[in-house]
């Protein structure tokens, strides 16, 4: 089963702490808007938007069956640029796992999750760039 989907639906206390830390860590919680970095804590609307977008991508993430059969695990970092209207302007794997199937699955999740919500009032930029970590980890029994 996909750990990301589980986390999105049933967050652990450790995961909640990690996400809470994003709001205060400028490297993990910043987004680039029209080439100008914007801190998530600058706007509650932007923070709420980022959280909803992240949940949507995690819910769309599927662990490739071929990777499960081969026992492949890894972390992938995606950089998504979203336009004001919620359309996905670009998606790029900025940190890849050693397994191409996991990289493709992460990118496919972003495409499947789009379009995203239209920017809300208070998000006064034409596009925003988000960095999303996705962990593919097999359950250990």
């Amino acid at each position: 089963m996909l750990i990301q989907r589980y986390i999105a639906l049933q967050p652990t206390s450790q995961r909640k702490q990690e996400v809470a830390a994003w709001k205060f860590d400028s490297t993990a919680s910043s987004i680039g808007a029209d080439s100008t970095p914007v801190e998530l804590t600058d706007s509650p609307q932007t923070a709420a938007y980022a959280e909803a977008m992240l949940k949507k991508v995690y819910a769309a993430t599927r662990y490739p069956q071929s990777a499960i059969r081969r026992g492949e695990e890894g972390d992938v970092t995606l950089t998504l640029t979203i336009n004001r209207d919620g359309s996905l302007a670009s998606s790029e794997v900025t940190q890849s796992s050693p397994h191409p199937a996991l990289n493709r699955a992460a990118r496919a999740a972003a495409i499947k999750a789009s379009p995203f919500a239209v920017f809300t009032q208070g998000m006064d930029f034409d596009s925003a760039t988000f960095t999303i970590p996705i962990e593919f980890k097999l359950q250990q029994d």
Side-chain angles (χ1 to χ4, degrees), residues 41-102:
T41 54
D42 285 352
S43 161
Q45 296 89 352
T46 304
Y49 186 92
E51 183 178 343
M53 181 271 311
L54 186 68
K55 284 182 181 179
K56 193 170 181 187
V57 172
Y58 283 170
T61 304
R62 301 289 178 264
Y63 210 127
Q65 289 297 313
S66 60
I68 293 171
R69 284 192 301 274
R70 291 189 296 264
E72 295 175 347
E73 297 181 330
D75 297 327
V76 179
T77 302
L78 288 177
T79 299
L80 306 182
T81 301
I82 301 173
N83 294 320
R84 171 175 284 292
D85 66 359
S87 63
L88 182 63
S90 68
S91 71
E92 179 183 355
V93 173
T94 49
Q95 180 181 339
S96 60
S97 82
H99 308 291
L102 301 181

Side-chain angles (χ1 to χ4, degrees), residues 33-34 81-87 89 119 123-128:
D34 299 335
T81 301
I82 301 173
N83 294 320
R84 171 175 284 292
D85 66 359
S87 63
F119 289 178
M123 295 177 67
D124 299 324
F125 30 84
D126 294 329
S127 65

Side-chain angles (χ1 to χ4, degrees), residues 3-7 14-15 21 25 39 42 46 55 64 82 87 92 102-103 113 115 134 136-137 139:
I3 191 90
Q4 296 85 356
R5 187 175 178 110
Y6 175 78
I7 289 170
Q14 177 185 355
R15 185 67 176 154
D25 178 351
E39 295 299 320
D42 285 352
T46 304
K55 284 182 181 179
I82 301 173
S87 63
E92 179 183 355
L102 301 181
N103 300 329
I134 299 178
F136 290 93
K137 185 167 176 61
Q139 285 184 321

